[in-house]
Amino acid sequence: MRIVIIEDEKDLGVLMRNFLVKQLHIKSPEASIKVAASLTEGFQCIVELNPDWIFIDNNLPDGKGINEIQRIKTSIIVRDTKIVMMSAMTNLREEAFKQGADYFLDKPISFVEVKNLFANYSNGHE
């Protein structure tokens, strides 16, 4: 499984990465999970990794994540990539889904919710 996390709060990005490595039993995290601090860096990681999952924050130094969801959807090679919008602004939930997000995580992030996200996806798609 390949994952890109676009999150400008470095500590949260690293925390999510470490959690996912343990939770998903990822053997080579350097090659499987990339953390980007900006949209620009995130798009580079998406091109490099062709991820199965993309977690994207809304407030990033070079733009709003919500405005890039459709661009991400059209730029990814594998069309079944899941996009997870992350924001403390819960009023963005409906707009995120309209833009093409598959999931919406409220901030502060609940790692129980992240665990359930992958558990539910695995149960329904294996």
Side-chain angles (χ1 to χ4, degrees):
M1 182 169 301
R2 297 171 315 277
I3 301 167
V4 172
I5 302 165
I6 307 172
E7 170 60 65
D8 64 328
E9 292 178 43
K10 186 177 181 180
D11 290 345
L12 178 57
V14 169
L15 193 63
M16 282 191 70
R17 181 181 185 277
N18 293 343
F19 174 81
L20 292 170
V21 166
K22 287 181 184 172
Q23 190 63 42
L24 302 173
H25 309 288
I26 294 177
K27 305 280 187 262
S28 56
E30 302 78 24
S32 302
I33 300 180
K34 304 266 185 206
V35 180
S38 68
L39 289 168
T40 303
E41 191 181 336
F43 273 100
Q44 291 171 344
C45 292
I46 290 167
V47 169
E48 287 172 28
L49 205 57
N50 191 26
D52 302 298
W53 289 79
I54 300 168
F55 288 80
I56 185 169
D57 185 25
N58 187 50
N59 291 320
L60 294 159
D62 54 350
K64 299 287 186 193
I66 198 161
N67 297 335
E68 300 300 324
I69 294 171
Q70 286 189 344
R71 181 174 156 209
I72 291 169
K73 281 278 194 191
T74 59
S75 69
I76 51 181
I77 297 165
V78 178
R79 295 288 177 227
D80 61 349
T81 297
K82 300 296 176 210
I83 298 178
V84 182
M85 181 85 220
M86 305 180 295
S87 180
M89 299 174 63
T90 56
N91 61 320
L92 292 178
R93 180 183 301 271
E94 190 175 318
E95 183 61 26
F97 288 125
K98 282 182 186 173
Q99 294 298 323
D102 297 287
Y103 304 98
F104 188 95
L105 287 176
D106 295 324
K107 282 185 163 186
I109 299 294
S110 160
F111 286 101
V112 170
E113 193 175 353
V114 174
K115 179 181 177 179
N116 290 340
L117 183 76
F118 281 96
N120 291 339
Y121 180 77
S122 294
N123 290 338
H125 293 84
E126 286 187 336

